[in-house]
Amino acid sequence: MASGVNVSNPALNFSEKKMDQPSGRSFMQVLCEKYSPENFPYRRGPGMGVHVPATPQGSPMKDRLNLPSVLVLNSCGITCAGDEREIAAFCAHVSELDLSDNKLQDWHEVSKIVSNVPQLEFLNLSSNPLSLSVLERTCAGSFSGVRKLVLNNSKASWETVHTILQELPDLEELFLCLNDYETVSCPSVCCHSLKLLHITDNNLQEWTEIRKLGVMFPSLDTLVLANNHVNAIEEPADSLARLFPNLRSISLHKSGLQSWEDIDKLNSFPKLEEVRLLGIPLLQPYTTEERRKLVVARLPSVSKLNGSVVTDGEREDSERFFIRYYVDVPQEEVPFRIRAPRIIPLLQGQPGLQGVFQDSQAYIKRTLSQKEKRGRILWWYHELITKYGKLEPLAEVDLRPQSSAKVEVHFNDQVEEVSIRLDQTVAELKRQLKTLVQLPTSSMLLYYFDHEAPFGPEEMKYSSRALHSFGIRDGDKIFVESKTK
């Protein structure tokens, strides 16, 4: 039967297989249609050349497909794998595969595709209804070589995620956005390989759920929590350091943080270098300048804030701004940072409280009076005072040009103080003085005298010249004479 197929159109090879496949389009059918020579001509450049794999003898599509190593088959209505022999023949070199926004709802069909792509490292399954089936470990085993997995808007359950983590020993990046998670479920075994986790746009609110991510992924380098509603970082400083010992970057963009204390707690992550904090309730009352400078000053180890590098110059400016910002603030409102070694002695010797600090910083807040706390905390404000000294507020300097001046007008042995606009011309000044000096403008001679200038009066002879160009200031003199003298 295959020998009669017109190979000029590879898609026709599937016409006789439709009876054996689920309704919809197969991966192999879409692959042939999209990457046939007619639809996907040869393209030059690194990684873009034609790939002609060694295909099984008798394949009707031999040498017919131009396949790059990166396949993009999103939004194609794919429901199943298709002929696995054909997938193996044509996809042996493929390293990245985008199957997002299709109609795959059976993990077995996904497994049939992935198991025949041996070089696959990146797989995007976003927006497929895969929550309708259970992922068995035998199926997940076919993903074992994948290093980057995207499951956004797939509604994948935590049980599915756990199965994937067990079977993907080299997984480095995982995307779990838009999955409506309200809680986090920990697996029995943690995943040491994962470096980056995107879990944005879910419904995570309590820090008790976020901390589980540190338990699950102890090697985590980047944690993106944007567009969740985490309202506070309710964790002691030393516990944060243990939970996220390798965290270098965190995004809390559009979270629910409302306290400067939560910002200060970010200093507890020992390797943190990059933070994103745009759109949080805490910063809404501040100006754009205040937001950035106050945050930079509080995070001395962070080298990049909201995507912008923090230079040494900006850090010094921000720390000086911080001092001046709080110079007139009452002492009880001056920021501070808690250090565990200074608090723990306070708890020692009190029955039943020796382990309280490690369990709950909130308890310390309730138990210690403000006076006791301030006697045992490290004041960040005073640290900066020690570094820069107590700075006075910056003088407000108005660099706008002066718009008017009060000058002495001398005429006929008389002196009058007159306020003049400096944006007007010499001709307009003459009209202003016409009534005062009782002379027609055509008969006036004006001389400007700067009392600090050594050269004497300057004739104001150009009618169109603006007054501000003379550098007129309060107290200067203008002499008016008649041309008929």
Side-chain angles (χ1 to χ4, degrees):
M1 182 75 67
S3 60
V5 175
N6 181 4
V7 296
S8 64
N9 186 355
L12 295 179
N13 187 48
F14 290 86
S15 60
E16 299 180 8
K17 299 181 182 180
K18 290 182 179 179
M19 297 299 294
D20 299 326
Q21 295 176 353
S23 60
R25 308 178 74 201
S26 74
F27 169 83
M28 201 60 214
Q29 178 183 358
V30 171
L31 187 72
C32 292
E33 291 175 356
K34 179 169 183 177
Y35 292 101
S36 66
E38 292 82 4
N39 297 331
F40 195 85
Y42 178 82
R43 293 195 290 170
R44 297 184 181 275
M48 303 307 295
V50 176
H51 182 83
V52 182
T55 56
Q57 186 174 5
S59 170
M61 292 179 293
K62 184 177 181 181
D63 301 344
R64 292 295 298 163
L65 298 185
N66 299 340
L67 295 185
S69 61
V70 177
L71 299 184
V72 180
L73 299 174
N74 62 306
S75 305
C76 294
I78 298 172
T79 60
C80 57
D83 192 315
E84 292 185 62
R85 294 173 301 172
E86 298 287 4
I87 297 173
F90 289 99
C91 298
H93 68 298
V94 172
S95 60
E96 297 187 17
L97 178 58
D98 183 355
L99 293 173
S100 61
D101 198 26
N102 279 290
K103 298 179 180 180
L104 291 163
Q105 56 183 330
D106 189 338
W107 282 104
H108 287 89
E109 293 300 321
V110 177
S111 178
K112 290 177 184 178
I113 298 171
V114 175
S115 62
N116 289 291
V117 188
Q119 303 300 318
L120 191 64
E121 294 188 351
F122 172 88
L123 176 62
N124 187 353
L125 294 172
S126 296
S127 301
N128 280 281
L130 289 165
S131 61
L132 301 176
S133 68
V134 176
L135 175 60
E136 300 173 359
R137 291 192 63 177
T138 52
C139 287
S142 62
F143 295 63
S144 60
V146 173
R147 295 178 179 273
K148 301 177 182 180
L149 179 62
V150 186
L151 295 174
N152 296 337
N153 197 34
S154 65
K155 313 307 179 196
S157 68
W158 282 111
E159 182 181 3
T160 295
V161 174
H162 296 167
T163 302
I164 289 171
L165 295 177
Q166 286 179 316
E167 299 301 319
L168 275 64
D170 299 320
L171 185 65
E172 296 178 356
E173 299 183 9
L174 179 61
F175 295 75
L176 298 174
C177 309
L178 295 162
N179 284 333
D180 298 334
Y181 296 136
E182 295 182 358
T183 61
V184 175
S185 173
C186 286
S188 56
V189 180
C190 60
C191 176
H192 288 275
S193 62
L194 199 75
K195 306 295 182 185
L196 179 148
L197 175 64
H198 275 253
I199 193 165
T200 68
D201 297 278
N202 284 286
N203 299 316
L204 300 172
Q205 299 184 32
E206 301 298 328
W207 184 259
T208 52
E209 302 304 320
I210 304 302
R211 74 187 312 276
K212 295 175 185 177
L213 300 175
V215 176
M216 292 171 66
F217 309 114
S219 301
L220 203 61
D221 170 275
T222 301
L223 176 59
V224 184
L225 289 166
N227 297 316
N228 281 283
H229 303 289
V230 181
N231 47 36
I233 303 177
E234 298 173 337
E235 194 81 37
D238 60 338
S239 180
L240 285 174
R242 290 196 305 270
L243 284 170
F244 297 94
N246 298 295
L247 193 66
R248 187 195 56 81
S249 175
I250 188 170
S251 173
L252 292 163
H253 175 69
K254 290 192 176 179
S255 64
L257 297 184
Q258 303 180 52
S259 168
W260 280 112
E261 187 175 346
D262 293 319
I263 307 303
D264 294 335
K265 283 183 180 179
L266 298 177
N267 292 297
S268 302
F269 299 121
K271 295 185 180 180
L272 192 67
E273 297 177 356
E274 181 176 356
V275 175
R276 290 181 181 269
L277 287 169
L278 291 174
I280 64 174
L282 168 66
L283 299 178
Q284 288 180 358
Y286 297 89
T287 66
T288 301
E289 179 188 31
E290 289 170 346
R291 290 170 189 168
R292 184 167 179 89
K293 287 188 173 180
L294 292 176
V295 172
V296 168
R298 288 176 181 265
L299 300 176
S301 298
V302 169
S303 57
K304 185 179 287 188
L305 176 64
N306 298 329
S308 299
V309 173
V310 179
T311 64
D312 292 340
E314 182 186 12
R315 181 165 303 286
E316 180 175 342
D317 288 346
S318 298
E319 290 176 346
R320 289 178 178 273
F321 179 90
F322 184 91
I323 293 173
R324 292 188 174 99
Y325 187 86
Y326 287 103
V327 70
D328 294 324
V329 171
Q331 284 292 299
E332 60 270 18
E333 297 181 22
V334 173
F336 61 84
R337 282 203 214 130
I338 294 178
R339 276 188 181 170
R342 309 294 279 274
I343 296 292
I344 289 175
L346 205 66
L347 300 175
Q348 293 175 343
Q350 300 187 36
L353 296 185
Q354 287 83 356
V356 169
F357 182 79
Q358 295 181 354
D359 297 332
S360 174
Q361 191 174 15
Y363 181 89
I364 294 174
K365 290 182 182 180
R366 295 194 302 269
T367 306
L368 304 180
S369 69
Q370 193 70 12
K371 182 176 179 180
E372 288 173 323
K373 230 190 319 188
R374 292 185 184 282
R376 294 161 177 85
I377 60 180
L378 180 63
W379 292 67
W380 180 230
Y381 175 76
H382 293 299
E383 277 190 352
L384 294 180
I385 289 289
T386 301
K387 183 176 181 180
Y388 297 109
K390 191 167 185 178
L391 306 176
E392 296 300 325
L394 291 174
E396 294 187 7
V397 179
D398 189 354
L399 298 178
R400 292 174 299 179
Q402 191 173 348
S403 60
S404 64
K406 289 185 177 181
V407 299
E408 294 180 0
V409 177
H410 294 250
F411 62 100
N412 296 332
D413 298 324
Q414 298 181 48
V415 179
E416 292 285 343
E417 186 176 77
V418 177
S419 178
I420 61 174
R421 290 187 0 258
L422 299 181
D423 61 347
Q424 65 182 334
T425 63
V426 171
E428 290 171 328
L429 176 61
K430 287 182 178 181
R431 287 196 290 270
Q432 180 183 348
L433 299 178
K434 177 181 177 181
T435 302
L436 178 65
V437 301
Q438 295 297 303
L439 286 174
T441 57
S442 58
S443 298
M444 282 188 205
L445 293 174
L446 301 184
Y447 297 89
Y448 164 62
F449 179 73
D450 181 352
H451 62 278
E452 294 183 359
F455 306 112
E458 175 184 358
E459 183 179 356
M460 305 172 77
K461 58 183 177 180
Y462 298 108
S463 297
S464 60
R465 182 175 175 182
L467 298 187
H468 63 74
S469 66
F470 290 93
I472 299 174
R473 293 167 294 177
D474 291 338
D476 287 348
K477 301 175 182 179
I478 293 178
F479 293 87
V480 182
E481 294 183 3
S482 173
K483 291 182 180 180
T484 58
K485 272 192 175 182

